Amino acid sequence: MLWVFAGTALALCSLIAAESIPIHQEIEYKASPQRIYKALLDSKQFSAFTASPAQIHAEAGGAFNCFGGRVVGRNIELVPNQRIVQAWRLTEWPEGLYSIARFELKAQNSGTRLIFDHTGFAPEDREHLDPGWHRMYWEPLRKYLGE
């Protein structure tokens, strides 16, 4: 079932990706990859750093919704403390349309370099999504981690 879903999400993503410019961001944190991985996949921690309700089933194929249900999707691939790949969508998008969000966590000195790539969204959504990742994820996570 997971592969069918992932294949469908990737097929939808590839149809749109040809027209959109991917988002690529690299953020450095003082916290360990383990700490960041846990904060991104634990419902309580995610809710705490975003100040919004979240439900996250932290296993491959597990569903998530966050920001009070405004963002929904499924975890496609989870490599503990290293990688999170999600079929990710805003609920305002057409039903069944998912983008792909990839979070790569690389240990760097005593901290982490988070390498983020977001693909498969409509070109007109880039202007909102690109700064939104900083405003809704990276900056609040930095504050939550005490950095």
Side-chain angles (χ1 to χ4, degrees):
M1 177 91 171
L2 170 62
W3 294 109
V4 171
F5 173 83
T8 302
L10 292 173
L12 289 170
C13 176
S14 65
L15 290 174
I16 292 173
E19 298 179 19
S20 65
I21 298 170
I23 294 170
H24 176 82
Q25 299 174 351
E26 297 191 18
I27 304 92
E28 294 182 11
Y29 290 100
K30 294 176 186 171
S32 69
Q34 295 85 354
R35 179 85 170 94
I36 293 169
Y37 184 88
K38 180 89 168 164
L40 291 170
L41 288 175
D42 180 80
S43 298
K44 286 184 181 183
Q45 289 188 54
F46 193 94
S47 296
F49 85 76
T50 62
S52 295
Q55 294 179 330
I56 303 169
H57 298 279
E59 65 268 344
F64 65 87
N65 75 69
C66 47
F67 302 102
R70 187 162 180 256
V71 173
V72 298
R74 289 202 179 268
N75 295 311
I76 296 173
E77 179 186 14
L78 299 177
V79 178
N81 309 319
Q82 295 177 35
R83 182 180 318 113
I84 301 166
V85 181
Q86 297 177 326
W88 188 100
R89 71 184 298 273
L90 293 171
T91 53
E92 64 199 42
W93 290 355
E95 192 64 35
L97 182 62
Y98 288 82
S99 63
I100 301 298
R102 179 185 172 96
F103 308 76
E104 192 80 31
L105 306 172
K106 301 282 188 188
Q108 179 175 292
N109 300 319
S110 61
T112 303
R113 174 178 289 268
L114 189 155
I115 302 164
F116 175 75
D117 290 290
H118 191 186
T119 60
F121 49 85
E124 60 271 14
D125 290 327
R126 189 177 201 289
E127 187 176 316
H128 166 78
L129 291 171
D130 193 13
W133 285 101
H134 287 280
R135 186 177 67 254
M136 304 299 286
Y137 279 74
W138 316 141
E139 293 165 14
L141 179 57
R142 187 173 307 284
K143 289 179 187 173
Y144 177 75
L145 297 170
E147 298 183 10

